[in-house]
Amino acid sequence: MIFSKLSSYFEKMEVTSSRLALIDILSDLFKHSSKEEIDKITYLIQGRIAPFFEPIEIGMAEKTVAQSIAIAYDSTKERVLKLYGKLGDMGLVPAQLSEKLKVKSEKLTVGEVFEILTKIAKTSGEGTVEKRQILLSDLLKKLDPISAKHLVRIPLGNTRLGIGDPTILDGLATAKLGDKSKRKLLEGAYNRTSDLGLITKTLFSEG
């Protein structure tokens, strides 16, 4: 799946308050996902790149992300932070700057974006902050405004999707088992593993 398509689903989720409607959106997303990428999509819905029990965090501070945005769109960190203060959402900043610059986006896949986010999280040692800034800015340069908006929120730990694990399980049950009432069949596996990505990948691969 192209990351921009996943971002379009995120866009729908963000403006949807009805839990039943969210389940329908998730179900449709899962139906259009392949078994090779479903675990990655699930983690990204959670705003993560790994299950919660794994000590892998992207964890970038607002000022670090602001510098990445500044580099990507030929701006300054001060201007980005000022715009952030005005808009109240860091995700809206690259969306606005990208729109103005008419950035030509590339059709990056979910897997490609996930790989770079993982690389950012695993970057360590001397110059870590600068390396992470460059990785994120290079990625932003390749994304359309909506994709950039949702991408930036992930390392900040605020996806603004308002989706809990039970809702994801409902969407999964609807997509693969035909009825959200069958969520209980998945809850047992979740209680044992605490890993939604593993559950979705197993369900898609083995049933």
Side-chain angles (χ1 to χ4, degrees):
M1 179 182 290
I2 304 299
F3 186 74
S4 60
K5 184 174 181 180
L6 176 60
S7 296
S8 71
Y9 279 102
F10 284 178
E11 193 75 356
K12 292 177 189 175
M13 293 177 204
E14 183 187 354
V15 298
T16 302
S17 56
S18 164
R19 188 167 181 275
L20 289 176
L22 284 170
I23 292 169
D24 287 341
I25 294 169
L26 283 166
S27 175
D28 187 60
L29 168 57
F30 289 143
K31 286 176 182 176
H32 288 88
S33 304
S34 70
K35 63 182 180 181
E36 288 78 22
E37 64 193 2
I38 188 61
D39 55 336
K40 299 176 180 65
I41 287 172
T42 303
Y43 291 134
L44 290 174
I45 292 170
Q46 293 180 298
R48 297 185 56 80
I49 52 168
F52 285 100
F53 59 80
E54 285 194 17
I56 302 176
E57 300 283 349
I58 304 173
M60 293 178 73
E62 287 180 350
K63 289 184 178 180
T64 306
V65 172
Q67 183 62 39
S68 296
I69 294 170
I71 295 168
Y73 304 112
D74 196 23
S75 185
T76 65
K77 184 171 73 173
E78 291 70 29
R79 185 187 170 205
V80 169
L81 288 171
K82 186 177 180 180
L83 197 52
Y84 170 45
K86 179 183 175 182
L87 299 173
D89 173 7
M90 190 68 84
L92 294 177
V93 178
Q96 191 170 110
L97 294 175
S98 175
E99 194 78 61
K100 285 182 179 178
L101 287 176
K102 292 182 169 54
V103 173
K104 187 176 181 180
S105 61
E106 296 181 22
K107 292 186 177 181
L108 296 181
T109 65
V110 169
E112 288 171 326
V113 172
F114 192 90
E115 184 179 348
I116 295 170
L117 287 173
T118 302
K119 191 173 181 180
I120 291 172
K122 291 183 176 180
T123 298
S124 60
E126 188 177 344
T128 293
V129 173
E130 291 76 13
K131 289 174 184 175
R132 287 181 170 184
Q133 285 174 346
I134 295 300
L135 284 167
L136 183 59
S137 66
D138 286 348
L139 184 53
L140 285 170
K141 290 174 185 176
K142 299 173 183 176
L143 298 178
D144 62 275
I146 298 300
S147 296
K149 167 186 168 181
H150 291 284
L151 174 79
V152 156
R153 292 171 173 173
I154 295 171
L156 292 173
N158 184 15
T159 61
R160 293 180 176 244
L161 300 181
I163 292 178
D165 293 350
T167 305
I168 296 175
L169 288 170
D170 278 340
L172 187 61
T174 302
K176 298 300 286 184
L177 303 177
D179 192 334
K180 70 182 179 69
S181 67
K182 294 181 179 178
R183 184 182 94 189
K184 291 182 178 180
L185 297 173
L186 304 175
E187 281 181 335
Y190 186 46
N191 291 335
R192 289 192 298 274
T193 65
S194 300
D195 187 341
L196 277 182
L198 176 62
I199 290 169
T200 53
K201 191 170 186 66
T202 302
L203 186 61
F204 271 59
S205 300
E206 301 172 24

